[in-house]
Amino acid sequence: MGGYMKKFLALCMVTILTLGIVGCGADEAAKSENEGKQENKQTAEGTKNESEEVKEEPKQERPVKMLTAVVGGNDPDEMELWNQEAERLSGIQLEAVRVAGDEYDTKITTTLAAGEEIDILYMNTDIFEKLLPLNAFEPLTSRIEESEVLGNPEIIDPKEWERIRRDDGEIYAVFNKYEGGRLPLVRKDWLDQLGLDEPQDLDGYYDMLRAFTFNDPDGNGQDDTYGFTLKKTYDIQPFMGTKGLVDGYDVDENGQLFVPYATEEAIEVYDWLARLYAEGIMDPNFPTNGSSDCREMILTGRAGLMVYWDNWTGLFNDKALAEDPNTSFEIYGLEPPKGANGEGSITTGQDGLFTLLNYSDNKDWAFKFLEFYHTYEGNILSTLGIEGHDYTVEDGKYVLTEIGEQHSMDHGVVVAKSSQWVNPVKIPKNYEQSRDVVLNYGQPELINANSKAAEEIVDKFIIKAILGEITGEEAVASMQKELKGKGLID
Amino acid sequence: MTHIDLKVKESKKISFWGSVISDFKRNQSIYALLIPAFIFCILFYYYPLFRGFIISIQDYALIGESSWAGLTHYKEILTDMDFWRSLKNTLVIGGGNLFFGFIIQVLLALLLNEVMQNKLKRFVQTIIYTPNLFSWVAISGIFISILAPDIGMVNMALKQMGLDTINFMTSEKWITAIFWFLNTWKTAGYGCIIYLAALTNIDPCLYEAARIDGAGRLKQVLHITIPGLYPTMKVVLMLNLIASLRMFSQSFILTNPSVVDKTEVVMTYTYKLGLQNFRMDYASAVAVVMLGIIGVLTLFYQFVVKKTER
């Protein structure tokens, strides 16, 4: 009896466990099936009226699935609202998933490796360059040329398309936004307080940063400020620009690939930065800083300058004004320092790109969504956000809600790529002036599949040079040796 | 003679399998309970291992057909200085973590075992266990600010003493020691609790007998407590050895470009290769090699332990 009982109980347990496992799967399957049915039902209902008017209108079989790092709502709940708003405005069912932060690259890899059902994949240029040789992307050239939106030179400058056209003549991606560039953003109120003029060259910058550090620019009577805060070596390009050097890779007159930061021209700038560090003008935490640390330093009045995106000019000012409407805090974009020949440059942002995966069976609808994305309504969706949630329309005017103010008119896009885009709410303080600096001095960086690996090596020796552990000359020699050793430069 | 030997061996073989089959028949309902766990292990442990090995001998394409590469990626590892550098760092950082962690955990357990007041004991236990609840991200934030060169507590103290400040997080001289310290600080409480639990299993009669024989506290610890901890030490050390060789989070979070030569470990290197540079085939080969190294070291450890037992 006891033996039978044991057997019976054991079999019951196994059955329950097995059913549990199978049940979960079944639940999921049933759930997705039901969702699918509901979606189809909704689609059918949604298109029923339309089909009565226009019989030939093609029916969307399933939602367009999009994976993105920047576009959409700021949390999962808002993401759902954003998807609904996208469908309301475009008439296209969308399931956008936003994976924020450093995990995004990993998500892309696993998505592709698993053959996950994704139609639109967002990525930065460096990832794009690595994935393009894998033939993962659908060529979009003819679609773009035939598109009333993307092919319209009044919306996107044809030069921009040419810039991302590949050697095979094809265009494989659609832009996300106007990327802007990283320029020196300065506490203008500190400049005014100390009676300083805008600096023009490295010496001028040195004098300004020294004054920010030692002349009590905030007038609180304490020695609690740094001239310059930065995140690793991410922010040194405007100073490198005095020697005609840009971020990333470059090609010399013989077609040889080289890293500008690893050339002898850079030595003088490394020694100049090391001097800032040695004299206590530079934030000594720069090797461990993240962007948020630097932003915090600026917002809390502990540093007077950081090199950052032009659109943050307005965001900084808006944040400070939101905290205290009477604040004297003012961020302003400076022109980069000029070299002996009057040359100066800043780095424009690498493109954020939307690609269509070539295994997608939903390419037509996916491309339609990308077309919509660059219309005025699409621009509103990616900047202001969701009507009734981020903004309301009163008497034809767009008014931000409290949530909308918090989101700073940024749902993946601060400034739309479209030449016709004008922010209907407000233009943030000093933003346009910063944008003009970027337009005047901006230079794109040359990115390839090895950019990240080269950057890691270069960063390592630049930091050592700034910390004074090695000289600028030794840093460049070490960079050259390691880059050549790994076949990262010709 | 040989004929008889063979017969004996054959009969043993039959009896072994016979016993297995009869045992299975006798306890089939119990074995049935294992089926879900068995399926789980096959699906989520052994299949990925096998799949990883297959990828390592392919020129793996994320999309489309992969071609066979044989041992190409394994040959590449032999000349990959970054791999050897990360392996050296793994052994140095992992070895230090293992050594200091072990010493501190045992020492804390022995000291706490001597505390007679239960409330104080529990309070100290809670204090030293708390760091184990922190993620490496939180620990990184806390210690980067404590060790900050300008307003960090440690450097403020150095300034007060008239000494030069040290940029700990960017110093190749200091960073390994910082890693050892942080890992020891984080894991001390966890190991300590395991050892304390083991201490409760030691027969109190042994201490009583030792006291009657005139043994003092120190002798009791040396001759009863520590030998009583040996079985636990062996297991915990082996688990920590494996964990040290598989370390990822600490390095991933605390590494910055200026110390990457000293802090990049095999697991972060594999992550970088596979998930950031899309070289999944080579990354899989590195992972397989690392699995082999972990296996060899674990077997060697067990061999040494068994030898010392004899």
Side-chain angles (χ1 to χ4, degrees), chain A residues 109 130 226 456 464 486, chain B residues 82 149-150 172 272 276 280:
Chain A
T109 314
K130 285 173 185 169
Y226 288 110
E456 199 175 272
K464 285 179 194 287
K486 290 184 177 171
Chain B
D82 284 343
D150 50 350
E172 287 190 341
K272 198 167 72 179
Q276 292 184 332
M280 284 188 166

Side-chain angles (χ1 to χ4, degrees), chain A residues 6-7 10 13-14 17-18 21 102 105-106 108-110 112-113 127 130-131 134-136 226 232 277 283-285 287-288 302 357-359 452 456 459-460 463-464 467 469 482 486, chain B residues 25-26 28-30 32-36 60-63 82 85 144 147-151 167 169-172 252 255-261 264 271-272 274-278 280:
Chain A
K6 273 184 190 173
K7 278 184 184 180
M13 286 290 289
V14 172
L17 280 169
T18 312
I21 292 166
D102 295 338
D105 294 359
T106 311
I108 288 178
T109 314
T110 50
L112 292 174
I127 302 291
K130 285 173 185 169
L131 289 176
L134 304 178
N135 301 319
Y226 288 110
K232 299 175 179 72
Y277 179 81
D283 174 9
N285 299 292
T288 53
R302 287 185 294 138
L357 293 176
N358 57 14
Y359 62 68
K452 220 174 178 75
E456 199 175 272
D459 274 2
K460 178 171 67 183
I463 291 175
K464 285 179 194 287
L467 293 173
E469 291 172 13
E482 198 162 331
K486 290 184 177 171
Chain B
K25 277 179 181 171
R26 212 173 31 248
Q28 53 187 307
S29 53
I30 307 294
L33 283 172
L34 279 173
I35 289 170
Y60 180 73
L62 262 179
I63 290 170
D82 284 343
R85 182 192 69 181
I144 282 173
L147 299 171
D150 50 350
I151 50 172
N167 204 332
M169 299 308 291
T170 62
S171 166
E172 287 190 341
F252 187 71
T255 293
N256 66 68
S258 54
V259 291
V260 70
D261 287 346
E264 183 165 71
Y271 170 83
K272 198 167 72 179
L275 293 175
Q276 292 184 332
N277 294 332
F278 303 103
M280 284 188 166

